[in-house]
């Protein structure tokens, strides 16, 4: 392959990583390996195609295996965890709720069914903690 083709492919892969992929750092190493092969081919004045592909494969594999995890952890390691649900949040009950009973309540701007999964009744106006969501029902227990 021509030196300019290696450089073009490397630039496209690096651009794709930055544009389309959420920084998983796979295309960076493949693109960087293509750029290195392109510049080596330019400096050497042309080399055999099998040698270019061998250098490309070795560089891409070695750099990805050797450096990807460290770079990814450095870039993404300090991000806060994603709260995947409302577990642990509190709601205020509009009416008294006996154990095993259900009612309707407002949560995050919409009306939900809620069932008391605790062993004691929850008074009207009291806070309750969300254990989980079961379908479209909030499973709650009295806030201690």
């Amino acid at each position: 392959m021509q030196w300019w083709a290696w450089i073009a492919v490397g630039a496209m892969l690096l651009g794709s990583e930055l544009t389309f992929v959420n920084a998983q750092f796979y295309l960076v190493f493949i693109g960087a390996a293509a750029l290195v092969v392109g510049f080596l081919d330019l400096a050497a004045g042309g080399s055999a195609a099998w040698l270019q592909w061998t250098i490309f494969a070795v560089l891409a594999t070695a750099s990805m295996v050797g450096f990807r995890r460290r770079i990814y952890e450095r870039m993404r390691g300090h991000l806060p965890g994603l709260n995947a649900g409302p577990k642990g949040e509190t709601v205020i009950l509009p009416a008294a709720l006996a154990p095993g009973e259900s009612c309707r309540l407002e949560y995050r701007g919409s009306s939900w069914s809620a069932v008391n999964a605790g062993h004691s009744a929850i008074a009207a106006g009291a806070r309750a903690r969300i254990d989980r969501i079961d379908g479209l029902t909030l499973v709650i227990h009295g806030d201690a």
Side-chain angles (χ1 to χ4, degrees):
M1 201 155 75
Q2 297 290 324
W3 65 268
W4 56 267
W6 283 109
I7 293 173
V9 168
M12 285 189 302
L13 288 170
L14 289 174
S16 296
E17 179 74 52
L18 296 174
T19 304
F20 302 117
V21 181
N22 187 15
Q24 295 292 320
F25 297 115
Y26 290 107
L27 297 179
V28 167
F29 296 107
I30 298 170
L35 286 173
V36 168
V37 170
F39 287 123
L40 285 176
D41 192 39
L42 176 63
S47 56
W50 66 268
L51 181 60
Q52 293 175 12
W53 283 101
T54 303
I55 293 170
F56 171 72
V58 168
L59 280 176
T61 304
S63 62
M64 193 178 309
V65 169
F67 300 113
R68 184 194 168 273
R69 184 185 309 172
R70 282 185 258 167
I71 291 174
Y72 187 76
E73 287 175 359
R74 183 172 289 169
M75 298 294 286
R76 296 291 189 154
H78 302 293
L79 293 177
L82 177 65
N83 185 5
K87 182 177 179 174
E89 293 186 25
T90 58
V91 293
I92 298 176
L93 292 178
L97 193 59
E101 295 290 319
S102 64
C103 70
R104 301 290 293 177
L105 57 84
E106 290 290 321
Y107 174 67
R108 292 190 177 175
S110 61
S111 180
W112 288 75
S113 294
V115 63
N116 184 358
H119 299 293
S120 60
I122 305 171
R127 292 184 181 268
R129 189 159 305 276
I130 300 172
D131 283 336
R132 66 181 187 279
I133 295 181
D134 187 17
L136 296 175
T137 302
L138 297 174
V139 179
I140 60 174
H141 69 276
D143 197 20

